[in-house]
Amino acid sequence: MSAHHLVVRALATVAAGVFLLPACADAATFVVDTTSDAALSACSAAPADCSLRGAILAANAAPGADRIVFDLPSGDPGFVAATAHWRIEAQSSMPNNAGDLEIDGYTQPGAVANTLAPDAGGTNAVLKVELRNAGASQNTGIDAGSANFDARLVLRGLAISRFAAQVVLVGGGAHQVEGNFLGTDITGTAASLTGNSGLGIGVRIQGEGPYRIGGDTPAARNLMSGLFSGVVSFAVPNGLRIAGNLIGTNAAGTAAIANRNYGIDIVSYRDVVIGGTTPGARNVISGNELTAIQLGSGSAPAAFPNVRVFGNLIGTDWTGTVPIPNGRNTPSPSQPQPTILLFSGGSCSAQIGGFGPGEQNLIAHGGAQGVMVGICTRASLAGNTYVGHRGLVIDNSDNSFGDGPTANDPGDPDGGGNRKQNAPAALDAVPSGNDAFTLDVRVDSAPGNAAYPIRVDFYRGRGGDLLEHLATRTIPLAEAQSVIQVVLPLSALADGVVQMLATDADGNTSEVGRYALDAVFADGFESP
């Protein structure tokens, strides 16, 4: 074995403790030293005898928690001089891993994990190993499927593209996918493929989990762009965490590399968190042609916690100030899509945003609605900032296509998305000192048709936007359908409108109620 191989293996063994795979006396480290796609599994000191395909097979045959690292030479045929990286062209699906396995592309000399905090940009990661499908379109990339249900995969530091699914997560192991570029070229500045053919899915979820895609440290941030969809579940994940990723943008987080369909598409779920309450857990989900986040109904009737969407930037760059819209559907611009779509019958059991520290999302610049709730109920949507949508901020609908503004109905007996909770209706405004006013509001929901108490939230608005949360008034059962008052600063009307949302105790949020400046002050209320 060469001295360099000895150094790489020694460093890999030390790092394994940092990367959280369980320590085991039988654990082995396999050094990939060729970009060949042949099943070269000797993995000895001899040159060019350990391919990635062969290393996975060798790890499958070895006991313990194994590790695959890289030491590819510049003279390898797969070296791409223009970008100083190594390309592995897979002619068939990669082997499933059969036990606990870590694959770490950052061990290739010259590779560097991201160091940028969320408030400093996207990702400055430098990747050196690219795995690309060169065979049939149905081939899959790194696949955690295993006869050992609890086997765990940790995957980091690879650029993977052109497979039907770049990564497949199966079983009950606590898989981690972090620090990868999925769907783009090695630089993260362009899609690996153009057009609609062969784009594939970034991470395909085929099992329950718990799985972690990304994380709350800079090094864990994945880029998932230029794909058909970023993350798609074909199972019912339980304990899934999607945090700290760039989904639909370039590596810098400044422009779109569009996913053709969805950023995240989860059909059903038990316990899923998208984003988080810390800055590092924030996802940037922008530039997706259809929806940024599509959620089916939860598998349990409880309001929370089934799926929680916290702290994300959805429809902007990493600064939250430059529009990178979702849902514009540029191939079919006459059919724009909501930024977030919740659909199916029963309970969606979703909390999107909130009023706790770090829970608020910025949901912005969508091609249609900000959030569309089709048929399902218990979608709590009040704790967010909504900016610049071409359609309604919130559309509670009888179907998954949207039906426009819903008029309040007496007593609120109708059904549909969020059971079409009646919106707050503003009735009157009177002065309250020199710099405030009192707003009279009524939510006409009979106790038999809504769960009390009902929370009413007031926002400074502009057009259809909800820009700044100003106040909350809770309506207890004893005050059902009565007129309530809230005192707001005159600055609430700086842009001409106060926006209001009602959310009942089951988490059903209404469409937006408005109180416009012209209507309020038509009698000269502002005059001295």
Side-chain angles (χ1 to χ4, degrees), residues 22 59-60 62-66 96-101 143-153 169-175 211:
N60 287 348
D66 303 309
N96 297 0
N97 70 294
D100 288 343
L101 178 64
D143 193 332
S146 172
N148 180 356
F149 180 80
D150 293 322
R152 178 186 179 207
L153 171 70
L169 302 182
V170 183
H175 305 314
Y211 308 143

Side-chain angles (χ1 to χ4, degrees), residues 37 52-53 56 68 70 85-95 101-106 126-144 153-169 176-193 198-204 213 221-230 246 257 259:
D37 187 46
L52 178 57
R53 184 180 297 276
I56 295 172
I68 295 175
F70 294 82
H85 84 281
W86 288 260
R87 178 178 294 152
I88 300 168
E89 297 271 16
Q91 299 297 324
S92 59
S93 294
M94 299 299 291
L101 178 64
E102 178 183 346
I103 303 174
D104 190 355
Y106 286 116
V126 178
L127 303 189
K128 289 296 180 181
V129 181
E130 179 184 18
L131 173 62
R132 200 167 79 173
N133 181 33
S137 60
Q138 69 268 25
N139 290 343
T140 54
I142 302 299
D143 193 332
L153 171 70
V154 177
L155 173 67
R156 63 171 59 82
L158 297 184
I160 309 175
S161 65
R162 306 191 180 192
F163 291 94
Q166 318 319 306
V167 181
V168 181
L169 302 182
Q176 297 171 218
V177 179
E178 54 188 44
N180 302 286
F181 290 2
L182 306 180
T184 72
D185 67 4
I186 196 72
T187 68
T189 60
S192 179
L193 283 172
L199 300 181
I201 293 166
V203 180
R204 180 181 176 118
I213 301 170
R221 187 170 304 150
N222 296 295
L223 172 67
M224 293 181 278
S225 301
L227 298 155
F228 190 71
S229 294
L246 302 167
I257 300 178
N259 291 315

Side-chain angles (χ1 to χ4, degrees), residues 336-494:
Q337 302 296 311
T339 295
I340 299 178
L341 173 61
L342 300 100
F343 69 98
S344 191
S347 170
C348 277
S349 302
Q351 182 180 357
I352 298 177
F355 297 95
E359 291 182 347
Q360 181 183 79
N361 301 288
L362 172 60
I363 303 172
H365 309 298
Q369 303 96 330
V371 182
M372 214 283 289
V373 183
I375 305 173
C376 72
T377 59
R378 302 190 183 210
S380 178
L381 313 171
N384 301 292
T385 299
Y386 296 90
V387 177
H389 296 284
R390 290 183 173 180
L392 298 178
V393 167
I394 297 170
D395 186 357
N396 292 326
S397 173
D398 288 322
N399 55 62
S400 59
F401 302 102
D403 57 9
T406 300
N408 287 340
D409 55 326
D412 205 7
D414 56 350
N418 271 349
R419 57 158 203 80
K420 292 194 172 178
Q421 165 64 49
N422 275 349
L427 305 178
D428 196 9
V430 296
S432 182
N434 294 324
D435 58 359
F437 64 100
T438 298
L439 193 62
D440 291 347
V441 176
R442 182 170 182 258
V443 178
D444 186 10
S445 295
N449 297 326
Y452 277 83
I454 290 177
R455 174 184 176 125
V456 183
D457 290 290
F458 299 84
Y459 299 80
R460 178 174 62 87
R462 181 184 60 220
D465 298 344
L466 278 64
L467 301 176
E468 178 188 3
H469 185 257
L470 299 171
T472 296
R473 175 70 158 84
T474 299
I475 305 174
L477 180 61
E479 296 180 30
Q481 297 176 277
S482 63
V483 177
I484 61 170
Q485 289 78 39
V486 63
V487 178
L488 300 174
L490 285 178
S491 60
L493 289 166

Side-chain angles (χ1 to χ4, degrees), residues 201-258:
I201 293 166
V203 180
R204 180 181 176 118
I205 297 169
Q206 289 285 147
E208 182 176 277
Y211 308 143
R212 176 163 63 79
I213 301 170
D216 59 4
T217 64
R221 187 170 304 150
N222 296 295
L223 172 67
M224 293 181 278
S225 301
L227 298 155
F228 190 71
S229 294
V231 179
V232 179
S233 73
F234 292 83
V236 183
N238 185 6
L240 174 65
R241 302 292 181 264
I242 303 173
N245 303 290
L246 302 167
I247 304 176
T249 74
N250 59 8
T254 57
I257 300 178

